[in-house]
Structures are given as structure tokens and as C-alpha cells.
Amino acid sequence: MRAYWYDDKPGDQRLAHDSGVPVPESYLSTLGLIYQHCPTISSVDALATQRYYKNRDEITVSPEKMGAVYDEKVKMFFNEHLHEDEEIRYVLGGRGYFDVRSEGDDRWVRVGLEEGDLLVLPAGIWHRFTTDEENYIHAMRLFKEEPKWTPLNREPALEENPYRKEYVQQRAQAIEAA
């Protein structure tokens, strides 16, 4: 895992867009992200038990696996959105980027993931996803309940979404406590 400030330069979303300014893992924690390197499935299983993840599936995002809908899906994943559930990804192969919004200044933090990386995004955080320029990632998705992936694309009204409001409140409390 490698995290840094996104450079905001125009260009292909799948490029690194590395500003050269790293973001420490401790800052990711203040945003509510949980990162763990899991060299084996048994370490994923342990985290799943600890966090009550009951279900899982696998997804491969690549032109070979998705065919004609690949470009459309990658663009859809890159639309800024939130979920009303945690988003948990364990990378089994390939690489990709999760971009998450910082709180306060609304900048992007890019989190690059590769094989063995597991990332938990809290419900209510603004984020987006893309593969890297290799156009391939194979990931396990973990869920507390039945598998679902429902993105709510960013719009002003969603600031009133209860999961978004809870996320913002938890971040404010974390900053206060620090």
C-alpha cells in the first residue's frame, strides 16, 4: 500500500497521479480507513471474524473478464460516491487505486493497492476507484450481510444521508480526541 496526495492534473485516471507528497497511514486512520497487509487468506479470515464479515465474493476488473462493458464500468467506479456499508477489498492480484476525500479541504488522497493489501473504507466516505494502467485487478469483496454494492453518487442532498452524517460526526470526534 502506498498513499499520497493526488496531483489533480488532467489525464488518464489510471495513471499514478502522484504529487510526490506521501500520506502517512496514521492520516488514513483519521479518515476512518483500516489498512492491513494480509499475506495469506487466513489473515483475511481472522479480520473477517473480528469484524463480523459473513459473506464474500471475488471480482476481476479487466477488459478480458468484462469485455465490452469494461470502459463503462471503470468510468462508473471512478464517479465520486459513497456507500451505506463498509467497502472491504482484499487484492488477490493486479493493482488499483482508491481515492478518498480528505475532510476539511476536500482534497483527494490516492491509496495504491496491490496483491496482499486489504483496505476497509467506512460507510459514508466519499471515494472512487480505478485500476492502474495495467487494467487488471482481482479482488475479494467482504460483506457483513448479503453481497451488495450500491454507490450513491455525490450530490449536495447526500450530505443529509444518515450514513454520511454519522461518518462526518465520527471524524469530528476522532479529530477532537487527537
Side-chain angles (χ1 to χ4, degrees), residues 91 93-97 113-115 130-134 136-137:
V91 181
R95 291 186 306 272
Y97 300 111
L113 300 175
E114 58 188 23
E115 187 173 334
T130 189
T131 58
D132 72 358
E133 61 272 16
E134 297 296 318
Y136 176 82
I137 190 165

Side-chain angles (χ1 to χ4, degrees), residues 11-14 61 66 68-81 127-131 135 149 151 153:
D12 188 332
Q13 69 194 37
R14 296 167 298 174
V61 179
M66 300 177 96
V69 300
Y70 172 77
D71 287 329
E72 176 187 328
K73 288 288 187 185
V74 169
K75 285 179 181 147
M76 181 186 75
F77 296 153
F78 203 64
N79 286 330
E80 185 173 4
H81 61 277
H127 68 283
R128 61 191 185 187
F129 172 79
T130 189
T131 58
N135 295 315
W149 186 86
N153 288 337

Side-chain angles (χ1 to χ4, degrees), residues 10-132:
D12 188 332
Q13 69 194 37
R14 296 167 298 174
L15 298 176
H17 287 279
D18 190 345
S19 66
V21 181
V23 171
E25 199 173 321
S26 60
Y27 182 74
L28 298 180
S29 294
T30 67
L31 295 176
L33 278 68
I34 299 168
Y35 167 75
Q36 188 173 330
H37 184 75
C38 298
T40 63
I41 293 294
S42 62
S43 48
V44 175
D45 293 340
L47 182 80
T49 299
Q50 174 191 5
R51 297 189 62 81
Y52 306 105
Y53 302 143
K54 299 177 196 167
N55 294 297
R56 59 183 75 181
D57 68 11
E58 293 182 18
I59 184 171
T60 300
V61 179
S62 74
E64 292 75 28
K65 288 289 184 181
M66 300 177 96
V69 300
Y70 172 77
D71 287 329
E72 176 187 328
K73 288 288 187 185
V74 169
K75 285 179 181 147
M76 181 186 75
F77 296 153
F78 203 64
N79 286 330
E80 185 173 4
H81 61 277
L82 63 78
H83 300 283
E84 294 182 336
D85 299 301
E86 288 183 339
E87 184 165 348
I88 306 97
R89 296 294 180 269
Y90 173 60
V91 181
L92 296 161
R95 291 186 306 272
Y97 300 111
F98 275 97
D99 296 338
V100 297
R101 285 288 187 188
S102 63
E103 290 301 314
D105 59 5
D106 217 27
R107 292 175 55 204
W108 286 115
V109 174
R110 177 153 275 196
V111 182
L113 300 175
E114 58 188 23
E115 187 173 334
D117 289 338
L118 183 141
L119 189 66
V120 179
L121 282 75
I125 191 171
W126 296 120
H127 68 283
R128 61 191 185 187
F129 172 79
T130 189
T131 58
D132 72 358

